[in-house]
Amino acid sequence: MHRLRCGASEEGIPSERGLKQSEGCCKRCFAAALLLCTLNRKVFDGMKEAIIKFHNYGFQYHTQAEPTLREINLEIYPGEKVLIAGPSGCGKSTLANCINGLIPFSYKGKQTGSLVIGQKETKDQSIFELSRQVGTVLQDPDGQFIGLSVAEDIAFSLENDCIPQSEMFQRVREAAQKVGIENHLEHAPDELSGGQKQRVSMAGVIINNVNVLLFDEPLANLDPATGKQAIELIDRIQKELGATVVIIEHRLEDVLWRDVDRIILMHEGRIVSDSTPDKLLSSGLLSENGIREPLYLTALKYAGVPVRPDMQPQSIRTILLSDEEKSRVRTWYQEHAEAKEENSAPALLEAEGIDFTYENGFHALKGVSATVKKGELLAIVGTNGAGKSTFSKVVCGFEKQQKGTIKFSGEDMADLSIKERADRIGYVMQNPNQMISKSFIFDEVALGLRLRGVPEEEVRRRVEETLKVCGLYPFRKWPVSALSFGQKKRVTIASILVLNPEMLILDEPTAGQDFRHYTEIMEFLLSLHDKGITVIMITHDMHLMLEYAQRAVVFSNGQIIADDTSANILTNPEIIRQASLKETSLYDLALLCGIDDPGRFVQHFIDYDREEREK
């Protein structure tokens, strides 16, 4: 007799997300039950009224010649968790701004069709009414803070409503407890970590008991472990409040650490897919539309294992593989794995015993020693506040170490000025707004060349070439103020890349970039690396670290705790725990398939994947 274990929603309707294949259940029976659950869900959804409803909706900004959104038909129901994905410029941020009311109240343009939020057309509501229904947590939490303390910031909307203080204090404490920030109510926002700032922003929106929680790239500025916690927190809050959750995010695999009901895939202003994660991940639409699929799925395809919806491919935690499919993965690994030669190049940068303490007493670096080889592509990783950025600032001369020495090509850098170091070492900061000084994109990228007296014809050639690689050439005459955060990031990278330094240090080079622009930037960095330029990337992106870094240095609490290949680091549970990193799903796939050396399996995948993409 076939046995099924089927989950149920609060209303008692079987759900795809809860459906699991029990031991002894054949795939045909399982598939039939999966279809039944899907049909039940559709019938049940038909009984509910959508809380967000787009009907033939379109939007065109006044400043643009073509519509950004075209023929959008989308319904989102109460209590759903929906992920909106797509490449940069596809319209997903514009869609979000329509939901939270920034369109049409802050961003003007022409609307067509219908958009209903909470049973009422948005054009017939004020932005105040919409804010009562939709709470937004921005990609950059600093842009959302208003109060001088955490408690004041959370209480801001209550103060506007003239809520009595006794009730206000109670509601602030309750909201803070829900997001786990109750012990920081007296802190100033700038004293918090990125993850803590995000929790404050979340408390500030849930305090109003909104029906919809909208998250705009919640993982962009978080280290891997904190990002994982953020996804877990969003999941828990959604279940506790019963709110509708809409997440906009490039890092698909990280969001799918917890279940979502649907993924809305957008491209060129249109919805190209609206389906469950299992169906979308089995379709091939992600790669066709410039979105990175989870790495474990790519590995399965390389091994000749087709990905099907009944395998539950949404997560490495849920995926079902037969013994034959596991055997295929092992065979692929054993037939193609090759040992790589170590880099024997001479040292370019040598740091010995670096110690640095800030004026406020924070001991940021504690006897740090590291060597970077000439022509190497190195990743520096670790939790927020571990000392990664401080180390790079000391190397560039922005800060002066109290102890230790730094040599570049064997020369002690102690007496070199910031300008002299900058001629050899280019530095791209994490926050683009701290680097940009010109009003227009072309002028910003050309600034360094012009200050160095480069002929204008050469300036134009080099700037245009760099802008093309960074995906900014169509915007070369635009003002910087018209760009998104991610586009500004690319401008600052271009302004340093155009100078052709010997060593390039990039702090979070791909934050906020979609897979296509991410790949373009990294391939350009690889082309520089191939020409002998040394590249150091400070990053929270474990995919970037795996795919591109030949070696990784791990910081924790102001010290280096590991110096090894990326594959070995991301398959070492103790290093991952100490440095707040995140295991790659390839590690879990190796264990699932009975592979004894997960580190070598991960390295094999990276090497094989690069060869495939270069064909």
Side-chain angles (χ1 to χ4, degrees):
M1 180 177 179
H2 297 306
R3 292 172 293 164
L4 286 172
R5 182 172 70 253
C6 185
S9 66
E10 291 180 3
E11 293 82 1
I13 301 297
S15 64
E16 293 177 73
R17 194 164 60 174
L19 187 63
K20 306 293 180 184
Q21 186 173 5
S22 299
E23 184 180 357
C25 176
C26 72
K27 290 183 178 179
R28 180 181 298 176
C29 178
F30 176 74
L34 182 65
L35 176 61
L36 177 61
C37 288
T38 303
L39 294 173
N40 280 339
R41 179 178 179 80
K42 289 181 178 179
V43 171
F44 181 59
D45 283 345
M47 297 166 57
K48 295 190 293 183
E49 189 71 27
I51 193 170
I52 300 170
K53 185 185 296 184
F54 291 87
H55 180 67
N56 293 335
Y57 185 83
F59 181 78
Q60 180 176 341
Y61 292 98
H62 283 329
T63 55
Q64 295 188 356
E66 296 291 333
T68 300
L69 297 179
R70 305 168 185 266
E71 300 175 3
I72 300 296
N73 289 286
L74 173 64
E75 295 185 357
I76 299 176
Y77 291 88
E80 275 196 303
K81 188 200 290 184
V82 175
L83 170 62
I84 300 177
S88 292
C90 71
K92 59 186 184 297
S93 293
T94 298
L95 191 75
N97 288 336
C98 293
I99 293 173
N100 64 22
L102 291 179
I103 291 175
F105 296 103
S106 294
Y107 303 118
K108 303 299 182 181
K110 178 184 177 182
Q111 299 181 78
T112 57
S114 168
L115 170 56
V116 174
I117 305 288
Q119 323 311 319
K120 189 176 180 181
E121 286 278 352
T122 55
K123 62 185 179 182
D124 297 327
Q125 301 184 59
S126 66
I127 194 169
F128 174 77
E129 290 177 282
L130 287 170
S131 71
R132 290 295 188 184
Q133 301 178 75
V134 182
T136 305
V137 178
L138 300 175
Q139 173 184 348
D140 180 12
D142 289 331
Q144 200 161 349
F145 288 129
I146 296 175
L148 298 178
S149 70
V150 169
E152 287 183 16
D153 197 80
I154 297 173
F156 178 73
S157 63
L158 302 183
E159 291 176 330
N160 285 340
D161 292 339
C162 299
I163 299 298
Q165 280 199 344
S166 58
E167 180 184 346
M168 188 187 304
F169 291 155
Q170 179 182 349
R171 290 175 62 178
V172 167
R173 282 193 298 271
E174 290 175 352
Q177 287 171 353
K178 286 178 181 176
V179 301
I181 201 71
E182 67 273 14
N183 295 326
H184 296 77
L185 290 175
E186 302 303 320
H187 287 60
D190 60 6
E191 296 174 351
L192 305 179
S193 68
Q196 290 169 333
K197 289 178 180 179
Q198 194 175 72
R199 289 171 183 259
V200 174
S201 297
M202 196 182 303
V205 297
I206 67 173
I207 201 169
N208 288 320
N209 298 319
V210 293
N211 298 318
V212 179
L213 293 173
L214 177 62
F215 295 89
D216 185 4
E217 298 206 33
L219 306 180
N221 298 309
L222 302 180
D223 64 59
T226 305
K228 181 178 176 181
Q229 293 167 7
I231 292 300
E232 291 171 347
L233 176 62
I234 292 171
D235 187 66
R236 179 173 61 80
I237 292 297
Q238 189 248 355
K239 289 175 179 175
E240 288 181 2
L241 301 181
T244 303
V245 169
V246 179
I247 302 173
I248 298 172
E249 182 57 65
H250 292 296
R251 290 159 58 175
L252 187 73
E253 184 175 335
D254 293 333
V255 174
L256 294 180
W257 171 249
R258 286 291 179 263
D259 294 338
V260 302
D261 294 297
R262 286 188 287 154
I263 300 177
I264 311 300
L265 182 62
M266 297 187 65
H267 186 74
E268 295 183 349
R270 290 184 167 89
I271 293 176
V272 296
S273 175
D274 178 355
S275 64
T276 65
D278 288 338
K279 291 178 182 176
L280 179 61
L281 293 174
S282 308
S283 68
L285 284 172
L286 290 176
S287 56
E288 291 174 14
N289 289 277
I291 300 298
R292 181 205 301 277
E293 67 181 1
L295 295 185
Y296 59 90
L297 297 183
T298 306
L300 288 173
K301 292 176 182 178
Y302 285 156
V305 177
V307 179
R308 309 176 308 275
D310 65 303
M311 296 168 65
Q312 300 181 41
Q314 171 176 330
S315 170
I316 190 64
R317 297 176 294 112
T318 62
I319 195 165
L320 301 169
L321 297 179
S322 67
D323 290 340
E324 179 186 351
E325 289 164 340
K326 293 176 183 177
S327 178
R328 287 189 190 180
V329 175
R330 290 194 298 271
T331 301
W332 169 71
Y333 163 63
Q334 292 162 359
E335 289 181 350
H336 297 277
E338 296 179 2
K340 289 289 182 179
E341 296 182 4
E342 292 187 5
N343 184 356
S344 58
L348 179 64
L349 180 74
E350 298 170 276
E352 183 68 33
I354 302 299
D355 218 83
F356 179 79
T357 301
Y358 285 99
E359 291 182 358
N360 63 6
F362 177 64
H363 198 175
L365 300 175
K366 306 170 184 177
V368 170
S369 297
T371 299
V372 182
K373 296 180 180 180
K374 185 175 178 61
E376 189 171 28
L377 205 160
L378 176 76
I380 297 179
V381 298
T383 186
N384 291 333
K388 309 183 301 296
S389 295
T390 300
F391 177 71
S392 65
K393 291 175 183 177
V394 170
V395 169
C396 294
F398 304 147
E399 301 286 358
K400 176 69 174 178
Q401 72 268 24
Q402 285 87 29
K403 294 180 182 179
T405 59
I406 300 177
K407 294 181 180 180
F408 194 89
S409 294
E411 178 186 355
D412 194 327
M413 299 178 69
D415 296 328
L416 296 182
S417 66
I418 293 178
K419 164 65 171 62
E420 290 170 323
R421 296 192 191 201
D423 288 337
R424 298 182 174 188
I425 304 172
Y427 180 68
V428 180
M429 300 174 70
Q430 181 174 353
N431 186 347
N433 296 317
Q434 295 176 345
M435 290 187 67
I436 293 173
S437 59
K438 293 294 183 179
S439 299
F440 290 90
I441 293 172
F442 187 96
D443 293 336
E444 178 63 30
V445 178
L447 178 61
L449 295 175
R450 287 169 173 166
L451 290 175
R452 287 163 172 77
V454 176
E456 194 61 28
E457 186 61 31
E458 176 72 4
V459 168
R460 181 171 297 278
R461 183 187 67 80
R462 287 170 63 177
V463 169
E464 290 183 350
E465 181 181 289
T466 305
L467 289 174
K468 288 177 182 178
V469 171
C470 293
L472 293 167
Y473 185 77
F475 315 113
R476 61 194 180 281
K477 297 181 181 180
W478 280 32
V480 175
S481 60
L483 301 182
S484 67
F485 184 87
Q487 289 170 326
K488 289 179 181 178
K489 183 76 174 181
R490 278 186 269 151
V491 169
T492 59
I493 293 175
S495 68
I496 299 299
L497 293 181
V498 77
L499 301 176
N500 297 324
E502 292 180 64
M503 176 183 283
L504 194 61
I505 301 176
L506 303 105
D507 196 348
E508 295 292 352
T510 58
Q513 304 297 303
D514 64 27
F515 187 47
R516 180 170 66 87
H517 289 123
Y518 164 106
T519 302
E520 287 178 356
I521 290 171
M522 291 311 303
E523 291 301 319
F524 181 68
L525 292 179
L526 274 182
S527 70
L528 293 178
H529 167 257
D530 292 340
K531 295 175 183 177
I533 294 177
T534 304
V535 178
I536 299 176
M537 304 175 296
I538 302 170
T539 183
H540 289 144
D541 189 334
M542 299 297 95
H543 289 168
L544 180 151
M545 170 185 169
L546 273 175
E547 290 178 306
Y548 293 97
Q550 299 165 328
R551 181 167 63 98
V553 173
V554 183
F555 276 74
S556 179
N557 194 29
Q559 297 176 308
I560 292 177
I561 62 170
D563 182 346
D564 203 341
T565 66
S566 300
N568 285 342
I569 286 171
L570 291 185
T571 54
N572 186 320
E574 181 58 25
I575 295 298
I576 288 170
R577 183 191 63 79
Q578 288 185 48
S580 296
L581 304 180
K582 179 178 175 289
E583 299 94 338
T584 171
S585 58
L586 296 169
Y587 171 76
D588 295 314
L589 179 62
L591 296 180
L592 180 63
C593 295
I595 294 172
D596 295 332
D597 190 347
R600 191 176 176 194
F601 174 80
V602 173
Q603 187 61 56
H604 162 59
F605 170 84
I606 298 305
D607 298 337
Y608 188 93
D609 183 59
R610 173 147 295 280
E611 291 175 2
E612 287 295 309
R613 287 191 283 134
E614 289 176 351
K615 287 181 179 179

